[in-house]
Amino acid sequence: MLPLLSLLAACASGGPRTDDAAMTASTTPEAAAVDRLLRDYDGSVPGAAVLVLQGGVPVVRRGYGLADVAAGTRVTPRTNFRLASVSKQFTAAAILLLAEDGRLRLDDPVRRWLPSLPAAADAVTIHHLLAHTSGLVDYEDLLPDGLDRQLRDADVLAILEGQDRLYFAPGTRYRYSNGAYALLTRIVVAASGQDYAGFLRTRIFQPLGMDATVAFEDGVSTVPDRAYGHSFVDGAWVRTDQSPTSAVLGDGGIYSSIDDLAKWDAALQDDRLLSDASRALAFAAQTGVAVDEDDVDAYGYGWRLHGTRQWHSGETIGFRNVIVRDPARRLTVIVLSNRNDPPPYSLALRILDTIGH
């Protein structure tokens, strides 16, 4: 099989190209089918980037609409979107790498690494954080009205230090927890001796050639080819790019493009980054999901599981994203969008079924 960069280049010359004029040019039946499904994202509106991988080969690689409505900047396959909760799979991978290094154990009590947490967290382990079974109180529900600054992961820890209670005994139930993934970044820092963004850069992004992907920190890093979030307000698209929780990295602060995510998807096929055992843990049903979450039978480490599918959505102010992997058919669909609506999961399934029929 050709290296991924060669495949991308081949796709650029023989199928959808990366120049603006080619973004809406239907050059293959697969691309034409996706173009029809993405009509509402094209033109002078907040757009989307779509990648379809079949057996690791990009068969559709497209950009639609605008990355910045005010500036008129078009979306291309290189455009970087804030991934929101799609970021969680990278947080989980960071923990799994440290476990492979022998720097921590997944059954470590969280208070071994974060001793400032209250006694109520005594029985919470790293595994519980990864699988959303910790019972931790949702930090978003504790934010004061009119908060005029952005929180960081360390602020989430400070908030949870003052909550000597849990929703339930650790490991007894599933409850999706953004705060748990913020705490995982603090464990990465404590176990590695590196800042979290630096750890991701040196241990995941650089080794995989994901050169434009970044855990974004305002005033510290920049996002090349950046998409800005938008919401439809009073009949017009307006920029709504940041909220008080947008700077929390562990649960949603990574920016990436479909081109870089193609490299990430390739790394999930073999042991170039994570061992077979670590990838098996990430995609194993670590806990059943009995609550009302559509198409979620179980949760792994940073991945939702439904039948043979592995997927995760990401929703934050001005962005809606999804990655859906179907290993049984060797298909992956990624949709990144810089608009507040609609969630693209159902769209990704339609693309999956259209390409994989």
Side-chain angles (χ1 to χ4, degrees):
M1 183 176 291
L2 288 171
L4 181 61
L5 290 178
S6 297
L7 289 169
L8 289 173
C11 186
S13 61
R17 302 191 309 276
T18 58
D19 57 277
D20 288 350
M23 288 299 98
T24 56
S26 300
T27 55
T28 67
E30 294 86 356
V34 173
D35 285 348
R36 289 191 291 271
L37 293 172
L38 269 292
R39 284 174 180 165
D40 291 343
Y41 290 84
D42 211 11
S44 299
V45 294
V50 177
L51 178 70
V52 182
L53 297 163
Q54 190 163 35
V57 178
V59 295
V60 177
R61 174 176 169 262
R62 314 288 276 179
Y64 302 87
L66 301 177
D68 184 342
V69 171
T73 308
R74 291 191 59 79
V75 173
T76 79
R78 297 179 302 276
T79 300
N80 290 294
F81 296 75
R82 190 162 74 253
L83 298 184
S85 286
V86 176
S87 302
K88 287 183 170 68
Q89 58 204 257
F90 296 100
T91 303
I95 291 290
L96 290 169
L97 284 170
L98 287 167
E100 290 182 15
D101 293 345
R103 304 295 291 270
L104 55 75
R105 295 171 56 92
L106 300 183
D107 59 0
D108 281 346
V110 170
R111 292 191 73 211
R112 172 185 173 185
W113 298 101
L114 305 176
S116 60
L117 286 172
D122 277 351
V124 177
T125 67
I126 292 175
H127 160 78
H128 293 139
L129 298 182
L130 289 165
H132 297 295
T133 58
S134 68
L136 289 172
V137 176
D138 288 334
Y139 79 89
E140 297 99 326
D141 292 341
L142 304 172
L143 301 182
D145 293 336
L147 183 65
D148 59 357
R149 68 178 183 88
Q150 287 193 313
L151 299 178
R152 305 296 192 268
D153 301 74
D155 296 316
V156 175
L157 173 59
I159 291 171
L160 294 180
E161 287 170 353
Q163 298 298 310
D164 198 15
R165 61 190 175 98
L166 300 175
Y167 290 127
F168 50 81
T172 62
R173 288 172 50 192
Y174 165 91
R175 181 177 174 130
Y176 191 83
S177 174
N178 285 315
Y181 273 72
L183 294 187
L184 287 168
T185 70
R186 309 314 301 163
I187 293 174
V188 170
V189 171
S192 71
Q194 289 183 262
D195 67 277
Y196 181 66
F199 184 89
L200 292 185
R201 184 174 59 254
T202 58
R203 293 297 302 276
I204 298 178
F205 302 150
Q206 288 178 347
L208 296 182
M210 299 174 66
D211 297 330
T213 300
V214 59
F216 175 60
E217 299 169 287
D218 192 28
V220 176
S221 53
T222 59
V223 180
D225 299 309
R226 179 175 174 176
Y228 289 90
H230 296 79
S231 296
F232 198 66
V233 180
D234 295 331
W237 289 106
V238 297
R239 184 184 288 190
T240 53
D241 188 67
Q242 297 287 307
S243 76
T245 61
S246 293
V248 179
L249 299 180
D251 65 358
I254 294 173
Y255 280 74
S256 192
S257 67
I258 58 171
D259 276 358
D260 271 7
L261 290 174
K263 301 169 187 176
W264 171 242
D265 184 76
L268 297 174
Q269 313 291 339
D270 56 37
D271 62 357
R272 74 187 69 182
L273 182 72
L274 293 168
S275 68
D276 292 346
S278 290
R279 285 181 289 108
L281 287 171
F283 292 124
Q286 300 293 345
T287 182
V289 175
V291 298
D292 186 19
E293 289 189 12
D294 292 340
D295 287 1
V296 186
D297 303 324
Y299 201 90
Y301 290 159
W303 289 93
R304 293 177 171 129
L305 307 173
H306 179 59
T308 62
R309 290 174 182 159
Q310 306 156 347
W311 71 282
H312 215 292
S313 57
E315 300 184 359
T316 186
I317 185 169
F319 292 89
R320 298 291 184 270
N321 312 304
V322 73
I323 176 171
V324 182
R325 305 180 75 243
D326 191 338
R329 293 193 286 173
R330 303 186 67 203
L331 282 168
T332 297
V333 175
I334 301 171
V335 182
L336 308 179
S337 71
N338 60 324
R339 55 172 64 188
N340 69 317
D341 195 63
Y345 175 64
S346 61
L347 173 62
L349 293 187
R350 293 174 66 190
I351 294 172
L352 191 73
D353 290 339
T354 298
I355 302 300
H357 68 274

